[in-house]
Amino acid sequence: MKTREIIDPEVFFNATGCLRNLSSADMGRQTMRNYPGLIDSVMTYSQNCVASNRPDDKSVENCICILHNLSYRLDAEVPNKYTQLNHMARSVYMDKTLTGCFNSRSGKMENDEYGVPLPEEDFKPKGPSWLYHSDAIRTYLSLMDQSKKDATLEACAGALQNLTASRGLMSNAMSQLIGLKEKGLPRIARLLQSNSSEVVRSGASLLSNMSRHPVLHKTMAHQVLPDVSRLLSFQSGNTNSYGEIMTSACYTLRNLIMSNPHLGKSYLTSNMLNNVVSLCRNGSCPKAAEAARLLLTDLWSNRELQSVLKQVRKTLLCFG
């Protein structure tokens, strides 16, 4: 499977299509992760296509969709280096909580408060360790640059979304790797301009996950706030993914603006705020409505932002 010439492309395409279907089921996902050489071969094929400027080779879509599916719930289902560190961090946190009765922090353990060093990567990853390796991250980001296929773009963003979805150290590390080390934020932001609502949904969800980590707030605020605020200003409600897109956009905007209100003020346009207020009243998208209410409540509680909000005070009276 590693060399394109030793196998018929049509056979390979059909075989990866079958594996793509199998990888979407719980039992298939677990079995495929453990099958020797499978992940290695799929990843190597994808990387070879990127290296040879064949991002839209028809089997690449299948391969990336397989990797996307196999990365689902990875932190919970596959023991890895981050699993042990999460347990260690929780033990340290619990010890501090029990001994510090008057601790000024809330009783919530946050990703960026662990204080535990991140593990070094495997020099030669094998099997499931490929799924969260920096080489895999670079492959997904390269395909975001090169591919013109919506399904491939969605799968790349979806794989990264899966890696950043947990509340543990893996999400923290993957977010930093994507946003800081590999400088992937501009490529993710471009997905929000796609004509495919599914591509936009995956990109917006990924940014929402990453925005939970304060270490990324400054970089994200400068690089993705324009595109996220544009979503809330102009996104149409006639797609199946509308509610999910709006939910993610509200949470991302909330995290980034509250971390830097001075920078965020310029993005609080009347058009965007009016749309957010309308979203609050949208009974068909309850999760998005809740996210919009939280966003407006936090914005209104910040003195620096109140002057902007008062410009549309008549619309926002119910939140004052």
Side-chain angles (χ1 to χ4, degrees), residues 189-190 192-193 200 223-236 245-246 249 253 267 269 271-272 275:
R190 283 200 295 272
L192 304 187
Q193 303 171 25
V200 175
Q223 295 188 21
V224 306
L225 261 182
D227 296 279
V228 175
S229 61
R230 194 178 298 118
L231 272 185
L232 286 168
S233 298
F234 303 111
Q235 176 70 19
S236 170
I245 293 171
M246 292 295 96
L253 200 71
Y267 297 102
T269 64
N271 187 44
M272 189 266 280
N275 286 348

Side-chain angles (χ1 to χ4, degrees), residues 93 105-115 167 169 172 212-214:
Y93 175 80
R105 293 174 182 253
S106 68
K108 182 180 179 182
M109 181 176 64
E110 297 290 349
N111 294 305
D112 295 271
E113 295 175 346
Y114 280 175
R167 295 283 176 173
L169 279 171
N172 185 314
R212 298 197 310 256
H213 304 286

Side-chain angles (χ1 to χ4, degrees), residues 231-252:
L231 272 185
L232 286 168
S233 298
F234 303 111
Q235 176 70 19
S236 170
N238 59 0
T239 68
N240 293 333
S241 303
Y242 173 75
E244 291 182 71
I245 293 171
M246 292 295 96
T247 301
S248 296
C250 283
Y251 283 129
T252 302

Side-chain angles (χ1 to χ4, degrees), residues 28-101:
R29 185 170 69 246
Q30 298 279 30
T31 302
M32 289 172 65
R33 283 177 183 147
N34 295 326
Y35 194 85
L38 191 150
I39 293 175
D40 309 61
S41 299
V42 170
M43 185 67 76
T44 299
Y45 186 88
S46 302
Q47 292 177 324
N48 287 343
C49 286
V50 169
S52 59
N53 198 29
R54 293 186 289 114
D56 291 326
D57 174 288
K58 65 180 183 178
S59 293
V60 168
E61 178 185 326
N62 284 341
C63 289
I64 298 300
C65 286
I66 291 168
L67 296 169
H68 170 204
N69 290 337
L70 296 187
S71 64
Y72 178 67
R73 290 182 54 81
L74 185 68
D75 206 15
E77 295 179 356
V78 179
N80 55 65
K81 295 179 179 180
Y82 295 99
T83 307
Q84 183 178 2
L85 287 176
N86 281 332
H87 290 312
M88 290 169 57
R90 288 189 176 90
S91 297
V92 171
Y93 175 80
M94 290 304 296
D95 287 344
K96 289 182 178 179
T97 302
L98 291 173
T99 57
C101 297

